[in-house]
Amino acid sequence: MHGLSLIKLARWSVRERCLAAAGFVVFCVALLAAGRGLASGAMGEILRVRFGGDAERTRVVIDLDRTTRGQVIQAGSDGHVVLSLAGVSPPDRRSGDGHGLVRDFRVAGAGAASRIELDLATSAEIERRFLLPPGDGVAHYRYVIDLKATGRAPTRSTPRADARTARPAERPLVYIDAGHGGRDPGAQGADSRESAVTLAAALALKQELERSGRYRVRLTRDSDAYVDLYRRVAIARQAGADLFISLHADAGADPATRGASVYTLSEQGAGRAVREFTRGENWQRSLNLPGRDASVDRILLDMTQRATQNRSAQLARTLLGELEGADHPLLRRSHRDAGLAVLLAPDVPAVLLEMGFITNPEDERLLNDSRARRRLMRAVAEGIDRYFREPAGEVQMAGTPAGAN
Ligand code: ZN
């Protein structure tokens, strides 16, 4: 494959548990130093709202003194973007002029949340949004909303009608990637091939997630078709995916080796991803960065990616917890490098799940058994559910278990 270095998070060893505990302590100390304990449930504060970009693409940055979780209430219809941010109160300056695609903004308190309303100057939609933790010389959290002009004339209704017809919060978009396909069959088992097993699992996971009604779900392929690895990532990014999960089945020389494992991109792989990404000419534009100063864009990209990596590691831990809870066999920790281009998106949290070894008779039987598959995908859906319930940042640790590799 592409020779990228990856970390593997399997069963936590004693050493990892120690590292995680140490990381948690560091995290708590940082919280106390910030003077606001999340555990106490104290409200945080929006410090200010600022804007960047132009009339094609506008970035809205909301500075916060603590982490938050954003929910879209209105995504651009009727000339408004409305979001609620949990656990933070409005800033001193509650309204003002916008910039670029935003004509003006208002912030109002709404219970334990703040409601942010952006009046659009022209028709636009949310391209992506994400939370950046403190770092790179910035001491506070930032909630970023990237807006993109849609080129349609805005249709406006009266603000009063908006309040009543506002759509429910947009559901997160989960992209499921069935590994391999078409002329790339993947690993071969005694009775089955990887590309068929991953497609069956992807369809089962889609069904599980859709059943909850909480997600929009799309597949990178829904038939035995070949799809380029980079293309898989690109379509998920372009669609504004909130999460990308790639499903695979492992293969080993020893038929006794079995169990599931989860991969996320390592620091090393992430560095390479940044280099790959910035080699293209229009990378600033594709990430919706200002594009005037390459070094500023590079820093913004690094910050975006760091936040994404933290969220990916959080998802990997959540998934492994659910699989363990469902008594699904997990692979003993092992070190392995593999190139997994599907994890390269710098702004979409991504994990790769090796569901088991197709070269192990018992794992292969489970991979091809529809009931076992449904059970496994139910655990994965549970993990995804739990991931979306956990606010970004709150379970981040100073050193992830990957540090033990
Ligand atoms: Zn594979």
Side-chain angles (χ1 to χ4, degrees):
M1 309 239 336
H2 296 84
L4 292 177
S5 168
L6 290 142
I7 53 169
K8 171 165 273 189
L9 300 170
R11 240 181 241 281
W12 284 20
S13 68
V14 172
R15 190 175 164 214
E16 284 172 331
R17 284 177 214 268
C18 290
L19 273 176
F24 186 66
V25 170
V26 171
F27 179 59
C28 290
V29 169
L31 273 183
L32 288 173
R36 270 166 215 275
L38 286 174
S40 71
M43 280 275 276
E45 216 175 0
I46 294 176
L47 304 170
R48 64 178 182 143
V49 181
R50 54 200 167 94
F51 301 89
D54 52 32
E56 265 296 296
R57 283 157 192 270
T58 303
R59 170 163 284 191
V60 185
V61 180
I62 299 159
D63 293 299
L64 310 144
D65 67 356
R66 59 157 282 176
T67 185
T68 187
R69 179 138 179 81
Q71 265 213 314
V72 177
I73 296 164
Q74 205 169 333
S77 57
D78 297 329
H80 294 95
V81 168
V82 183
L83 278 105
S84 90
L85 293 181
V88 288
S89 58
D92 293 337
R93 190 164 157 261
R94 293 186 172 217
S95 63
D97 291 338
H99 169 90
L101 289 164
V102 181
R103 180 172 299 162
D104 45 56
F105 75 92
R106 280 176 305 284
V107 188
S114 278
R115 179 186 163 96
I116 294 154
E117 285 187 44
L118 307 171
D119 287 341
L120 300 177
T122 179
S123 181
E125 62 189 15
I126 297 175
E127 192 172 33
R128 69 178 57 81
R129 55 201 168 86
F130 50 88
L131 183 82
L132 292 174
D136 297 295
V138 180
H140 51 261
Y141 287 85
R142 287 143 290 170
Y143 193 86
V144 179
I145 306 160
D146 284 337
L147 300 172
K148 188 176 82 174
T150 54
R152 291 189 301 271
T155 51
R156 271 168 201 284
S157 58
T158 65
R160 248 169 234 295
D162 279 348
R164 255 177 275 122
T165 57
R167 284 185 307 164
E170 199 181 20
R171 292 168 299 157
L173 175 61
V174 177
Y175 244 93
I176 307 170
D177 175 48
H180 310 275
R183 64 181 150 91
D184 167 24
Q188 189 66 47
D191 305 309
S192 57
R193 57 180 203 285
E194 187 185 353
S195 59
V197 161
T198 59
L199 180 58
L203 292 168
L205 179 56
K206 182 172 189 279
Q207 207 175 21
E208 281 303 322
L209 289 171
E210 281 178 342
R211 223 159 43 100
S212 76
R214 284 190 287 276
Y215 306 100
R216 292 173 295 143
V217 186
R218 286 189 211 159
L219 303 175
T220 54
R221 68 177 179 98
D222 59 5
S223 65
D224 186 18
Y226 176 80
V227 183
D228 178 80
L229 287 179
Y230 290 98
R231 167 120 192 91
R232 294 172 193 241
V233 181
I235 57 176
R237 282 198 58 233
Q238 277 157 19
D242 294 286
L243 187 157
F244 185 90
I245 178 166
S246 188
L247 300 175
H248 284 253
D250 235 328
D254 181 358
T257 309
R258 66 173 305 201
S261 53
V262 179
Y263 287 96
T264 60
L265 196 62
S266 69
E267 288 280 341
Q268 216 181 340
R272 198 167 311 189
V274 168
R275 284 196 297 282
E276 280 287 322
F277 204 81
T278 52
R279 194 169 296 150
E281 267 188 10
N282 286 321
W283 64 272
Q284 285 103 335
R285 191 149 187 85
S286 74
L287 259 189
N288 197 15
L289 298 171
R292 278 184 293 276
D293 179 338
S295 61
V296 168
D297 284 344
R298 177 56 196 268
I299 290 165
L300 287 174
L301 173 61
D302 284 349
M303 289 193 309
T304 303
Q305 192 167 48
R306 194 149 316 136
T308 306
Q309 269 175 267
N310 285 336
R311 284 295 272 166
S312 298
Q314 194 176 334
L315 174 61
R317 283 193 293 269
T318 311
L319 281 181
L320 284 167
E322 291 296 334
L323 295 186
E324 196 159 24
D327 282 330
H328 190 79
L330 296 180
L331 181 68
R332 293 181 70 86
R333 279 174 41 74
S334 67
H335 300 234
R336 206 166 56 155
D337 281 346
L340 299 163
V342 289
L343 301 178
L344 286 180
D347 54 356
V348 182
V351 295
L352 187 144
L353 171 64
E354 295 274 14
M355 301 177 288
F357 278 74
I358 203 165
T359 46
N360 171 271
E362 183 56 13
D363 272 9
E364 186 182 17
R365 190 188 65 74
L366 290 173
L367 288 167
N368 285 285
D369 180 86
S370 63
R371 280 184 54 199
R373 181 159 52 225
R374 206 167 323 124
R375 215 166 34 239
L376 174 61
M377 289 306 129
R378 199 162 291 159
V380 171
E382 279 291 318
I384 290 173
D385 247 354
R386 206 144 63 78
Y387 163 82
F388 277 110
R389 284 199 306 268
E390 283 175 355
E394 286 191 15
V395 299
Q396 277 169 23
M397 293 169 188
T400 66
N405 274 332

